[in-house]
């Protein structure tokens, strides 16, 4: 069973990463490159954009609140020595690192989805996987994005540790809330689930204390956030569908070998 679970997760993560990487390169990478030109025009952008500004980390903003800053934790980094740090070259190398980062995230989240379905004692199917995948998108991507939307290079942000703490709190609270609402389904647990989902947003996400205005046009930033969330939805949906499909496929193959 463990072999079947791991195999299905690998297949699901691979397929989801292929789809998501293609969408990133087509939809969000041009916006990132455009934002890097605005960043280069700012007074605090004397250093070259680091790998933090790569599409892989843009997409990872839907997973952890690292966001797309080529700066320090306070929003702008005044240590120009960081320009000497290694970074993937534009073009094929950056694309390769984007794909690799997305692949690692895809397999990891496929394993998480598998663990959730196992804990719920539900036989993985494409339909069931899709439902759990959408729940994963709501908890891991959409709910945190309400307070910490995906951001482009050159945009201010709160310290990284604070963003990560709030993101983790939001993911856990939203996941538990969805479980209480969708699985338990009694009035008391539904009320508790709603409270859990709303609580992180009532507490408020950490905000940037940087007083320097961003050079990135608001329309570009909004477009990037919307596209990133759309890609995140497709990413999670493919993980769920592919995991359910792969689970059945490996189960049939095991049955054929057993009967041979």
């Amino acid at each position: 069973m463990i072999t079947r679970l791991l195999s299905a997760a690998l297949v699901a993560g691979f397929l989801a990463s292929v789809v998501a990487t293609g969408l990133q390169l087509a939809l969000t990478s041009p916006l990132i490159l455009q934002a890097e030109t605005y960043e280069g025009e700012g007074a605090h952008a004397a250093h070259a954009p680091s790998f933090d500004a790569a599409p892989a980390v843009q997409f990872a903003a839907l997973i952890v609140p690292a966001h797309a800053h080529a700066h320090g934790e306070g929003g702008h980094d005044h240590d120009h020595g960081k320009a000497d740090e290694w970074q993937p070259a534009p073009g094929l190398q950056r694309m390769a690192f984007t794909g690799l980062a997305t692949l690692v995230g895809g397999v990891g989240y496929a394993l998480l989805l598998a663990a959730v379905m196992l804990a719920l004692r539900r036989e993985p199917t494409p339909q069931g996987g899709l439902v759990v995948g959408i729940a994963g998108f709501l908890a891991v991507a959409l709910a945190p994005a309400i307070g910490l939307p995906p951001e482009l290079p050159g945009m201010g942000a709160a310290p990284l540790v604070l963003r990560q703490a709030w993101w983790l709190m939001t993911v856990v609270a939203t996941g538990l809330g969805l479980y209480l609402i969708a699985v338990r389904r009694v009035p008391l647990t539904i009320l508790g689930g709603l409270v859990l989902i709303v609580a992180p947003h009532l507490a408020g996400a950490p905000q940037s204390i940087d007083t320097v205005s961003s050079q990135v046009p608001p329309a570009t930033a909004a477009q990037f956030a919307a596209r990133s969330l759309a890609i995140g939805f497709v990413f999670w949906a493919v993980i769920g569908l592919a995991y359910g499909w792969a689970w059945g496929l490996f189960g049939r193959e095991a049955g054929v070998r057993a009967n041979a």
Side-chain angles (χ1 to χ4, degrees):
M1 178 178 179
I2 297 299
T3 301
R4 183 181 178 187
L5 185 152
L6 292 175
S7 300
L10 287 171
V11 170
F14 174 77
L15 292 176
S17 67
V18 169
V19 173
T21 299
L23 291 174
Q24 289 172 51
L25 296 175
L27 298 178
T28 57
S29 291
L31 298 178
I32 295 167
L33 296 176
Q34 180 182 348
E36 287 177 350
T37 63
Y38 289 108
E39 181 187 34
E41 295 172 358
H44 300 280
H47 62 284
S50 69
F51 180 51
D52 290 345
V57 180
Q58 303 304 318
F59 183 68
L62 300 174
I63 302 175
V64 293
H67 296 278
H69 301 283
H71 306 295
E73 293 183 358
H76 291 282
D77 192 331
H78 301 281
D79 181 9
H80 303 307
K82 288 189 175 182
D84 297 329
E85 291 181 355
W86 180 88
Q87 54 184 300
L92 183 60
Q93 191 176 84
R94 174 176 272 194
M95 291 170 59
F97 274 85
T98 297
L100 178 61
T102 308
L103 175 61
V104 172
V107 173
Y109 279 117
L111 289 171
L112 179 61
L113 182 143
V116 169
M117 299 195 75
L118 186 64
L120 295 176
R121 298 184 179 181
R122 295 185 177 180
E123 180 73 13
T125 63
Q127 296 82 1
L130 177 61
V131 171
V132 177
I134 292 175
F137 165 76
L138 295 175
V140 175
L142 184 60
I146 294 174
L148 294 174
E151 296 172 352
L152 285 165
M155 299 178 66
L160 179 60
V161 173
L162 295 180
R163 285 182 282 143
Q164 288 178 330
W166 187 86
W167 176 87
L168 181 60
M169 176 181 66
T170 304
V171 170
V172 173
T174 305
L176 289 175
L178 292 175
Y179 169 77
L180 292 174
I181 293 171
V183 178
R184 293 300 182 181
R185 297 183 183 178
V186 298
L188 184 60
T189 60
I190 291 175
L191 178 60
L194 291 173
V195 171
L196 282 172
I197 291 173
V198 173
H201 305 285
L202 293 179
Q207 300 299 316
S208 173
I209 59 175
D210 192 354
T211 58
V212 180
S213 60
S214 171
Q215 300 288 329
V216 180
T220 301
Q223 188 177 40
F224 174 77
R227 290 185 180 185
S228 295
L229 288 171
I231 294 173
F233 178 83
V234 174
F235 174 77
W236 279 98
V238 173
I239 285 179
L241 288 169
Y243 181 80
W245 169 78
W247 177 270
L249 175 65
F250 289 118
R252 289 192 296 271
E253 290 182 352
V256 170
R257 289 195 298 268
N259 294 328

